[in-house]
Amino acid sequence: MLKSQLKQPTSEVRGGPLWPQSSKKNKDNALQAIRGDMSVSPLALFWGGSVTGAYWKPEDDDDTFAEKAARLQSVIKETMCRELDIDEEEDADKLEALNIDKTPIQNAFQRCFFDISRYDFICVNDDGSYVVLKEKDVPRFLKDRFGDIANTEFIKSRVISIQPPKTSRDKTQREVRRITRMPWDEFFTELKSTAQASRSMWREDMFASKPGVRVKQNSVHITIPHTGFKKTTEPDPSIIEDFKEHFPECVDVLNMFAAARFSRDRKKAFLWLRADSDWGKGFVTSCLADLGLVVELSVTEIQKMFQGSPVAKTPRDFIRSWVLVVNEFNSIKPEIKQLEHTLELAPKHQLASKVPVFAKLFTSADNVPDMATDHGVEEQFSRRFSFIRKTGTLNERDLFNENTTSYRSTVTSWMAEHLNNQVALYRSMGRDLADREATKYLNDFHRRHSISQELSDLKDSFEAISDDFRTWLLNEGFHSPFLIHDTAKKRVFLKNPAKMLHDFLIENKAPEEIPHLKNKKTEIFKNLSADGTGVKSYRINGKPTTSVLIQDGP
């Protein structure tokens, strides 16, 4: 039941560096560009407006962490003065030399938390990776990572100067080590009390300017800022035009990926790319993977995640990913709709985590009966999935064969440039407007490419299947013992409808369709029944019988 494919928009967004400024015209230009209505010159758009919305950015907590660091600074100062025999009022010069610095404390609070499930210290790096340490290694790491809280050289000299006479060298050195560790020991003690977490939520914030952590109710939210995609070469226009000729929808698909990244409602960010073998599905996903945009999972791995079982994926695999790719899938479960926004991870020996999921790309060369049959597509899939069908072979294109390496690097660099421009366009709007426009783009993309544009909705086919089943029953199956004729009321009932449906499907449907249609027997029986109730108990010829009323009256 293929329908004619809609003509795809070919407008492309172009852009360049953006500079801080705001105007209604700039925002209007951004909206037009994202909708594909115009091209944008390098200086046509600017960063605009304040960033608002429900999302938290690390910058939002600067004052909170500064106050927290100031309180701990006072505690450390009091402790160190006591240990070093310094009077805060009378020894102002020594206190100044001690130099208790709040900055390393604040920086560490913004990056670190304590995993109470495994008693591990964790520090988040700029790139979303993280360091896991046991308690004994923490003070040295903090000193190396964030610097000294106090003047280490002064502490050493002061400890030596206040030791009683005849104190051994070894004892003095132990005392030096103990007291120089003390500022970061105090920090770690405070961290264990105020930043405990047993679960984590990881995400890349497209509007943040620095990484950070926030702990609330034993759950830690870990945020890192977006970094632009890097080009490895200047895109060759002839190669890009050749690739667009092979994949005319590529700009629209890239824009969908960007919209999914900025939208909070990603229900319609599913795409099924069904393309011939050697069309280039692997080429497209490899280019995206080169930009760090892809996390690849199998249907089996996804099912395990839904069940809470561990898989060989960590939050780091997802944190900068825009596209979850399921390559060459051949089956799918209704639970796949749980992929709309987040996935729960339970990696072995690590904190249980929740990671965001944005665009979902499913690829296959063949039809997937669980998704679509000759009779149509499941309603829950048609509401979510877009569908693009491609034919042809990439390795038969002359430019591709001339230099496959150059072709790939050019397409990858073009994708980087295009997506950087999309990021800049959405950022220029501020968080809330970007969310609304990105959601609108996803809805428009789904309307253009909806799977129901290509394959009719399966619920529309139930009536036709049921009519065929009824005709078959009243003809070929007329003398079946499972057909009961209530001659008095001129009604016909079907006993054991599942058995008769099985026989009907075996005779009339392709083998790969039968399991899927049998799973929909409830809907088929409702459409088959004359009273629309499906299977239920009727009194037939004076006896209660569970059956389907398939004909009521003459």
Side-chain angles (χ1 to χ4, degrees):
M1 297 184 184
L2 292 177
K3 301 179 181 178
S4 59
Q5 188 170 1
L6 297 179
K7 183 178 180 181
Q8 305 304 327
T10 56
S11 299
E12 182 180 350
V13 179
R14 303 182 187 277
L18 306 181
W19 305 98
Q21 191 172 327
S22 175
S23 74
K24 182 177 184 300
K25 182 177 179 181
N26 291 330
K27 289 188 177 182
D28 290 343
N29 286 347
L31 301 187
Q32 287 180 293
I34 283 178
R35 294 168 187 165
D37 298 334
M38 63 178 289
S39 293
V40 182
S41 64
L43 297 179
L45 298 171
F46 303 91
W47 293 97
S50 61
V51 176
T52 60
Y55 278 105
W56 155 77
K57 303 196 311 299
E59 297 91 322
D60 298 337
D61 282 348
D62 282 350
D63 291 342
T64 301
F65 281 121
E67 293 172 5
K68 187 176 180 179
R71 289 194 298 270
L72 184 57
Q73 179 188 32
S74 296
V75 171
I76 292 173
K77 181 171 67 174
E78 181 180 338
T79 300
M80 297 301 289
C81 285
R82 183 173 62 251
E83 292 287 339
L84 297 173
D85 193 21
I86 296 174
D87 187 298
E88 292 188 38
E89 295 181 0
E90 297 181 3
D91 297 328
D93 57 334
K94 295 183 179 64
L95 190 60
E96 182 178 355
L98 181 59
N99 188 26
I100 305 295
D101 188 358
K102 183 181 75 172
T103 301
I105 303 172
Q106 181 174 342
N107 291 340
F109 272 136
Q110 289 179 310
R111 299 292 189 92
C112 304
F113 64 96
F114 186 68
D115 174 5
I116 57 175
S117 64
R118 294 183 53 79
Y119 289 88
D120 285 335
F121 164 88
I122 297 177
C123 179
V124 179
N125 296 320
D126 291 351
D127 62 355
S129 62
Y130 50 92
V131 178
V132 181
L133 296 171
K134 294 301 181 182
E135 183 169 352
K136 65 182 180 63
D137 302 315
V138 171
R140 175 63 181 269
F141 168 81
L142 290 169
K143 180 181 184 301
D144 293 342
R145 178 70 174 77
F146 298 102
D148 289 317
I149 294 176
N151 185 339
T152 302
E153 293 304 317
F154 172 78
I155 293 173
K156 290 179 180 178
S157 63
R158 182 64 180 170
V159 170
I160 293 171
S161 69
I162 62 175
Q163 293 303 301
K166 299 183 180 180
T167 302
S168 69
R169 180 183 178 87
D170 288 345
K171 184 176 181 180
T172 300
Q173 291 302 315
R174 286 197 300 271
E175 193 70 0
V176 167
R177 287 194 295 270
R178 182 183 71 82
I179 296 178
T180 53
R181 282 174 53 105
M182 194 168 287
W184 282 118
D185 282 337
E186 289 281 357
F187 169 86
F188 188 46
T189 299
E190 178 71 12
L191 189 79
K192 287 191 291 184
S193 300
T194 61
Q196 297 181 356
S198 58
R199 294 183 58 79
S200 63
M201 172 70 186
W202 297 73
R203 69 186 178 94
E204 177 189 48
D205 192 321
M206 306 303 290
F207 294 89
S209 61
K210 63 181 181 180
V213 302
R214 172 187 277 187
V215 178
K216 187 175 182 181
Q217 297 177 341
N218 285 349
S219 181
V220 59
H221 293 251
I222 301 160
T223 298
I224 63 170
H226 173 71
T227 55
F229 305 112
K230 295 181 180 179
K231 297 190 297 183
T232 59
T233 186
E234 281 302 315
D236 182 337
S238 63
I239 290 178
I240 299 307
E241 290 306 313
D242 185 75
F243 179 68
K244 288 180 180 179
E245 184 180 302
H246 179 67
F247 187 16
E249 302 88 353
C250 60
V251 171
D252 207 14
V253 170
L254 289 178
N255 289 349
M256 187 276 273
F257 293 160
R261 186 58 191 81
F262 281 87
S263 173
R264 298 176 194 175
D265 182 3
R266 301 185 285 277
K267 177 180 178 180
K268 295 182 178 178
F270 291 81
L271 173 60
W272 177 12
L273 175 61
R274 184 183 171 192
D276 292 348
S277 296
D278 295 329
W279 173 83
K281 300 184 294 296
F283 175 84
V284 172
T285 56
S286 294
C287 291
L288 294 169
D290 288 346
L291 298 176
L293 285 172
V294 167
V295 60
E296 188 171 339
L297 293 172
S298 67
V299 172
T300 301
E301 287 177 313
I302 294 171
Q303 288 297 119
K304 285 185 176 180
M305 289 180 175
F306 290 160
Q307 296 163 5
S309 301
V311 296
K313 298 293 180 184
T314 69
R316 188 173 182 179
D317 296 313
F318 286 83
I319 194 164
R320 293 196 187 276
S321 168
W322 287 22
V323 187
L324 190 157
V325 173
V326 182
N327 266 326
E328 300 299 344
F329 77 116
N330 53 26
S331 64
I332 196 168
K333 300 294 184 184
E335 293 81 8
I336 210 74
K337 61 181 180 289
Q338 297 176 39
L339 280 176
E340 282 181 9
H341 298 101
T342 58
L343 262 178
E344 297 274 355
L345 299 182
K348 290 183 178 180
H349 313 303
Q350 294 187 44
L351 208 62
S353 304
K354 181 182 286 187
V355 292
V357 177
F358 303 102
K360 284 74 65 173
L361 175 62
F362 292 72
T363 72
S364 74
D366 301 318
N367 187 36
V368 179
D370 287 343
M371 179 77 80
T373 70
D374 288 344
H375 298 285
V377 62
E378 287 272 14
E379 182 183 5
Q380 61 179 326
F381 293 140
S382 70
R383 289 198 303 264
R384 290 172 171 80
F385 271 83
S386 299
F387 179 76
I388 294 177
R389 178 75 171 96
K390 303 307 298 178
T391 58
T393 304
L394 182 62
N395 58 22
E396 290 181 355
R397 305 190 72 84
D398 293 339
L399 278 178
F400 181 81
N401 287 323
E402 283 179 13
N403 191 332
T404 57
T405 301
S406 176
Y407 198 99
R408 174 170 168 169
S409 63
T410 290
V411 171
T412 302
S413 294
W414 168 75
M415 287 182 175
E417 182 177 74
H418 184 85
L419 291 172
N420 282 337
N421 291 334
Q422 286 286 294
V423 170
L425 289 169
Y426 280 115
R427 278 175 160 176
S428 71
M429 301 176 192
R431 195 186 298 275
D432 287 348
L433 183 57
D435 171 31
R436 292 196 297 272
E437 287 301 313
T439 302
K440 182 180 184 302
Y441 195 95
L442 289 178
N443 291 335
D444 290 344
F445 182 88
H446 184 260
R447 276 192 289 271
R448 289 193 296 273
H449 300 284
S450 173
I451 195 169
S452 58
Q453 296 277 4
E454 298 286 344
L455 299 163
S456 63
D457 201 313
L458 186 58
K459 69 177 182 179
D460 298 332
S461 299
F462 287 147
E463 185 174 345
I465 295 170
S466 300
D467 287 344
D468 292 343
F469 186 25
R470 183 185 296 106
T471 300
W472 180 84
L473 287 167
L474 296 176
N475 290 285
E476 297 185 37
F478 185 79
H479 298 293
S480 168
F482 297 118
L483 280 182
I484 303 174
H485 299 266
D486 185 349
T487 53
K489 296 182 179 180
K490 297 182 179 180
R491 297 187 299 177
V492 180
F493 296 88
L494 175 65
K495 282 179 59 178
N496 202 343
K499 168 67 168 63
M500 295 302 289
L501 176 62
H502 173 79
D503 292 346
F504 166 75
L505 295 176
I506 290 293
E507 287 188 23
N508 295 277
K509 301 299 176 184
E512 64 271 16
E513 292 186 69
I514 292 175
H516 182 70
L517 291 174
K518 287 174 73 173
N519 286 338
K520 297 301 172 184
K521 61 185 178 184
T522 301
E523 290 86 348
I524 293 174
F525 294 153
K526 284 182 179 180
N527 281 275
L528 175 68
S529 60
D531 56 5
T533 59
V535 180
K536 73 173 196 177
S537 180
Y538 294 90
R539 183 165 289 277
I540 306 171
N541 299 325
K543 296 180 180 180
T545 306
T546 300
S547 57
V548 177
L549 174 63
I550 64 171
Q551 186 170 300
D552 188 9

